[in-house]
Amino acid sequence: MSHSSHPSHSPHTSSSPRPDFSRLAPYGWDDDWATAYADAVADSSAADPAPVPGRVVRVDRGQCDLVTPVGTVRADTEFVVPRDPMRVVCTGDWAVVDADGAPPYVRSLLPRRTAFARSTSSKRSEGQVLAANVDHALIAVPLAAELDLGRIERFLSLAWSSGAHPVLVLTKADLVPDATALAHLTADAETAAPGVQVLPVSAETGEGIDVLAAVLAGGTTALLGQSGAGKSTLANALLGRVAQTVQTIRDRDGKGRHTTTTRNLLPLPAAGGGGALIDTPGLRGVGLWDAEEGLGQAFAEIEELAARCRFHDCAHHAEPGCAVLAAVEDGTLPERRLVSYRKLLSENVRLAARTDARLRAEQRQLYKQRQALGRHMMERKRGPHRKP
């Protein structure tokens, strides 16, 4: 049912729960969010009941669950449905909520600090936000299969682009009992992740979990990776309880089923440093989205070398005086890194071109609609046309 106006409200009464802002602390509430919330409600009518801030912990179609100072609220999102898919309500968002509504509804979203996004499809030039207001992008890569360094670089490019700080975890480390082999695998992963902490962990034995919890303490973490990466098991280990269902991987191909089907935000134990964790469904495809800056950070050593090339627009293919190619020739830069960089850079350029084309088409359509409206209004002003 479509609403033409906001539903009616009644102010908080003695029977209504009293706001308790300490409820928000485990979910990342701080002075900056308090300021953003105050700014968002500054223009509210005095006749309205005071809305409360809330953090989205789960999103369903048309509704979302939020933790608020008056408790957990299930709210309608009808009034914050944008045309831009990058601005839809997402797990991790902070919002202004009319908790006393019938039903409660989300009045507005507070400006995001960060957003982890990917392209939705190669055929549609649209992005999808997987998690909002994230401090750490925890990328899970299983040691049960051969390391896919190219996929690691793809995830890291998106993570850096989000504004969050990536952390790479090599899960199922117990499957590599030989310490020397584990050290080699960790070193291989580090070559694909300059400037990123790489931690081998085992949720089964507890190896590395305490160190990882300390790294993530106090912030909001989005847990990302393919199905079968051990994300749900790792989430349970970090949470200290069974919060996510775990299924075994398929024997025939080593791939896991999609155990997690929604994005849920859960508070981490205070004893481990606190913070919040967003567990996401396994990602089959990880398309780049506006990842130019992230690519520069994921391939920082190539960007640094490129600054020394003879030509500022060097493409690093066959140009004379190319510092990048020289580094490949002398072995200081693995050729695989350059090949991966070229591939991801080209993909990002193609997507940007398609996105620009879509925006131009939308602008042309909007212009035509305005022209048609203008002609209609002119005709109304002139009145019915009479023949002489």
Side-chain angles (χ1 to χ4, degrees):
M1 177 179 176
S2 176
H3 301 280
S4 58
S5 62
H6 289 174
S8 60
H9 302 284
S10 58
H12 285 290
T13 65
S14 57
S15 61
S16 300
R18 295 179 62 84
D20 178 7
F21 282 79
S22 66
R23 294 175 187 263
L24 301 180
Y27 294 87
W29 182 254
D30 58 26
D31 290 343
D32 290 336
W33 286 122
T35 299
Y37 161 70
D39 290 342
V41 299
D43 298 329
S44 297
S45 169
D48 288 340
V52 296
R55 191 163 198 195
V56 178
V57 296
R58 178 189 172 99
V59 176
D60 292 314
R61 186 170 298 180
Q63 293 183 316
C64 65
D65 295 336
L66 306 98
V67 59
T68 78
V70 297
T72 301
V73 173
R74 189 164 183 80
D76 194 301
T77 61
E78 181 176 354
F79 298 112
V80 287
V81 177
R83 293 186 62 182
D84 183 355
M86 290 288 287
R87 298 177 62 192
V88 299
V89 178
C90 179
T91 302
D93 271 323
W94 284 95
V96 177
V97 191
D98 274 329
D100 282 343
Y105 70 93
V106 176
R107 177 181 289 190
S108 64
L109 298 181
L110 300 185
R112 290 169 176 163
R113 293 179 182 173
T114 63
F116 190 98
R118 64 167 179 175
S119 61
T120 55
S121 166
S122 59
K123 296 180 181 179
R124 297 177 61 191
S125 302
E126 293 180 350
Q128 176 192 25
V129 179
L130 299 177
N133 300 312
V134 171
D135 300 293
H136 306 285
L138 185 59
I139 301 164
V141 177
L143 290 174
E146 184 178 353
L147 286 178
D148 186 340
L149 300 182
R151 179 168 286 273
I152 290 174
E153 289 160 344
R154 180 180 289 273
F155 266 107
L156 290 175
S157 298
L158 286 172
W160 282 120
S161 297
S162 74
H165 193 90
V167 178
L168 182 62
V169 285
L170 305 179
T171 61
K172 307 183 182 183
D174 54 290
L175 299 181
V176 188
D178 183 74
T180 301
L182 182 59
H184 283 310
L185 288 169
T186 303
D188 287 343
E190 288 173 341
T191 64
V196 175
Q197 191 164 6
V198 180
L199 297 171
V201 302
S202 170
E204 294 293 333
T205 67
E207 176 188 353
I209 298 298
D210 289 346
V211 175
L212 179 58
V215 171
L216 307 179
T220 298
T221 299
L223 179 53
L224 306 142
Q226 288 181 284
S227 290
K231 298 192 308 302
S232 295
T233 307
L234 179 59
N236 291 336
L238 289 169
L239 292 164
R241 59 190 175 89
V242 178
Q244 303 291 13
T245 305
V246 178
Q247 293 181 357
T248 56
I249 61 174
R250 299 192 298 250
D251 291 334
R252 67 178 182 275
D253 56 11
K255 294 182 180 179
R257 298 172 183 172
H258 290 279
T259 321
T260 303
T261 56
T262 59
R263 291 180 281 277
N264 302 292
L265 188 148
L266 302 163
L268 292 168
L277 180 71
I278 300 175
D279 190 11
T280 65
L283 301 174
R284 288 193 180 93
V286 193
L288 297 183
W289 180 260
D290 194 19
E292 182 177 357
E293 183 178 345
L295 282 166
Q297 291 177 280
F299 294 88
E301 81 278 34
I302 295 180
E303 294 276 310
E304 183 180 344
L305 287 166
R308 305 178 202 166
C309 292
R310 181 184 301 176
F311 304 107
H312 74 276
D313 58 348
C314 183
H316 321 307
H317 284 286
E319 296 84 351
C322 176
V324 175
L325 293 178
V328 172
E329 290 177 6
D330 66 22
T332 55
L333 175 67
E335 185 177 6
R336 190 206 63 78
R337 284 281 286 171
L338 178 56
V339 171
S340 182
Y341 175 69
R342 286 172 176 163
K343 176 183 176 182
L344 294 176
L345 196 61
S346 295
E347 179 182 327
N348 193 63
V349 169
R350 288 196 303 272
L351 179 64
R354 285 204 307 271
T355 303
D356 288 344
R358 177 177 63 84
L359 290 175
R360 287 195 299 272
E362 289 179 352
Q363 288 168 353
R364 284 196 300 270
Q365 183 65 24
L366 182 60
Y367 178 69
K368 289 179 181 178
Q369 290 173 352
R370 287 174 176 170
Q371 276 189 319
L373 179 61
R375 287 193 298 269
H376 174 70
M377 296 304 294
M378 286 297 294
E379 289 173 0
R380 289 187 58 184
K381 286 182 179 180
R382 290 172 181 168
H385 180 69
R386 292 188 177 91
K387 293 183 180 180

